[in-house]
């Protein structure tokens, strides 16, 4: 790209490029050069907006965690409507149908990135921790409404569902939504109420 050409919303462009590299080639292929080549910009653009590549990756993860928060708010609004199993399956499909599984792979691959994000997510794996909280909050709301059994433990069910969803989407080819729904139905079989 010629110098002096203004790039509008460079952060978003770089984040989208990083996601494309992650989805296509995995975390080992994610380098600053791969990201800037994918974005069609000079390497200096990345360093103009971020202190270094690790700072860029941390910002990417924080941006995706914010999306989980938005998704959690939408899921919370669905409490009391629709089918509990369908709502949870849709949330998992939305979560892992995006780049979340690739982000988790990146976090597992890069110890230094996890360490950098400890201030935001002191325990667990960033993104997964927030996603588990999203599911637990939704299930707790449904329990209050009587659509989930009073003795059900959302803090146990949420990571179970999240783990099953992550395993279903861990392959780069992804999972079929009907298989995710079947897993959710099996996990929630004893606790959902009509």
């Amino acid at each position: 790209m010629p110098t002096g050409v203004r790039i509008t919303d460079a952060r978003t462009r770089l984040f989208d490029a990083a996601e494309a590299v992650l989805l296509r080639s995995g975390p080992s292929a994610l380098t600053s050069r791969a990201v800037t080549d994918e974005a069609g910009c000079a390497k200096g653009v990345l360093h103009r907006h971020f202190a270094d590549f690790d700072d860029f990756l941390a910002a990417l993860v924080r941006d995706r965690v914010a999306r989980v928060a938005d998704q959690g708010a939408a899921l919370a609004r669905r409490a009391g409507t629709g089918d509990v199993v369908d709502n949870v399956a849709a949330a998992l499909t939305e979560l892992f149908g995006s780049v979340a599984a690739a982000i988790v792979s990146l976090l597992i691959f890069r110890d230094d990135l996890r360490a950098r994000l400890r201030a935001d997510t002191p325990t667990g794996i960033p993104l997964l921790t927030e996603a588990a909280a999203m599911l637990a909050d939704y299930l707790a709301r449904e329990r209050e409404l009587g659509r989930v059994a009073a003795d059900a433990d959302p803090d146990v069910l949420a990571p179970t569902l999240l783990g099953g969803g992550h395993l279903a989407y861990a392959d780069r080819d992804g999972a079929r939504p009907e298989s995710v729904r079947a897993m959710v139905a099996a996990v929630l079989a004893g606790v959902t109420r009509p």
Side-chain angles (χ1 to χ4, degrees):
M1 170 168 280
T3 48
V5 175
R6 180 170 167 76
I7 298 174
T8 57
D9 204 3
R11 289 174 62 94
T12 300
R13 189 170 178 176
L14 291 166
F15 288 164
D16 291 345
E19 285 185 356
V21 172
L22 266 173
L23 290 172
R24 183 178 56 247
S25 305
S28 62
L30 193 63
T31 63
S32 59
R33 173 63 63 204
V35 170
T36 54
D37 285 352
E38 182 75 26
C41 64
K43 196 172 177 185
V45 172
L46 188 143
H47 294 289
R48 206 174 351 230
H49 293 276
F50 303 96
D52 55 31
F53 192 58
D54 286 335
D55 184 45
F56 166 76
L57 293 175
L60 170 67
V61 172
R62 287 182 185 112
D63 182 74
R64 293 342 185 219
V65 165
R67 290 183 184 186
V68 171
D70 294 342
Q71 184 186 354
L75 182 61
R77 287 190 298 273
R78 278 185 254 162
T81 66
D83 180 72
V84 173
V85 169
D86 289 341
N87 289 343
V88 171
L92 288 171
T93 299
E94 182 181 346
L95 177 70
F96 289 117
S98 68
V99 74
I103 293 284
V104 171
S105 296
L106 174 67
L107 289 163
I108 291 168
F109 183 74
R110 296 186 66 118
D111 294 337
D112 52 334
L113 178 58
R114 276 193 326 277
R116 188 178 284 239
L117 292 166
R118 281 288 167 235
D120 301 331
T121 308
T123 60
I125 296 175
L127 197 87
L128 290 181
T129 299
E130 290 79 8
M134 168 188 73
L135 291 173
D137 175 66
Y138 170 74
L139 292 169
R141 288 170 188 265
E142 292 289 17
R143 185 178 59 189
E144 290 170 10
L145 296 169
R147 291 169 23 112
V148 168
D151 61 347
D153 188 345
D155 292 326
V156 171
L157 291 169
T160 303
L161 292 161
L162 191 63
H166 184 239
L167 286 174
Y169 281 96
D171 183 356
R172 284 199 193 129
D173 294 332
R176 294 184 329 273
E178 61 272 13
S179 66
V180 173
R181 191 194 185 287
M183 178 275 299
V184 172
V187 171
L188 296 179
V191 298
T192 53
R193 304 288 181 255

